[in-house]
Amino acid sequence: MANVKMFKLLGVFLALMLIVWAIAPILRHQPLTNDVIATAIILILIAIAYFVIMFNPSWTKAVFFFEGIVIGVSGYMLLAFPYNIELLVVGLIIVVIAILAYLQKLPPSILKWFYR
């Protein structure tokens, strides 16, 4: 059976992998388009949020709320028509879930992920 340290180590590797994926187009000297910038912003902020949640689980709701705002706003501002609306909707759904978690209005099976 795996222990908590192993899961934290795998979480660190996942977050680092997300950061590498975010900066890979820059390292490969690809042209910086709005799609590349939006993807890099979202991946890096998800990795940072993963670090914060992993080492301080009490911040899960706040980080989830912030990530919803970042995904919605950066997707809407930087991407083209069909994709910007999709990411705006995804960001709004994440924000609504975070607000419902603050108010403890979610089912207990979902609330267990926010209150540890």
Side-chain angles (χ1 to χ4, degrees):
M1 178 164 227
N3 58 11
V4 175
K5 287 184 182 181
M6 183 64 167
F7 283 120
K8 284 192 177 186
L9 182 63
L10 290 174
V12 169
F13 285 138
L14 175 66
L16 292 175
M17 185 175 66
L18 288 173
I19 292 172
V20 168
W21 277 346
I23 62 173
I26 297 167
L27 297 176
R28 287 184 284 172
H29 302 291
Q30 288 181 341
L32 289 178
T33 62
N34 285 343
D35 294 340
V36 172
I37 295 170
T39 303
I41 289 170
I42 291 170
L43 286 176
I44 289 172
L45 288 175
I46 288 173
I48 292 170
Y50 198 72
F51 276 128
V52 170
I53 291 171
M54 190 171 27
F55 294 110
N56 195 352
S58 64
W59 285 20
T60 302
K61 296 176 295 301
V63 170
F64 204 65
F65 182 78
F66 175 72
E67 286 295 320
I69 292 172
V70 167
I71 288 171
V73 170
S74 65
Y76 184 74
M77 298 294 286
L78 297 173
L79 296 178
F81 169 64
Y83 305 110
N84 66 352
I85 300 299
E86 291 172 7
L87 276 181
L88 180 65
V89 169
V90 168
L92 286 175
I93 290 170
I94 292 172
V95 167
V96 167
I97 290 172
I99 291 171
L100 289 174
Y102 270 118
L103 299 174
Q104 296 184 0
K105 299 290 183 185
L106 293 172
S109 60
I110 298 174
L111 274 177
K112 71 179 179 183
W113 296 103
F114 292 100
Y115 293 96
R116 297 181 192 183

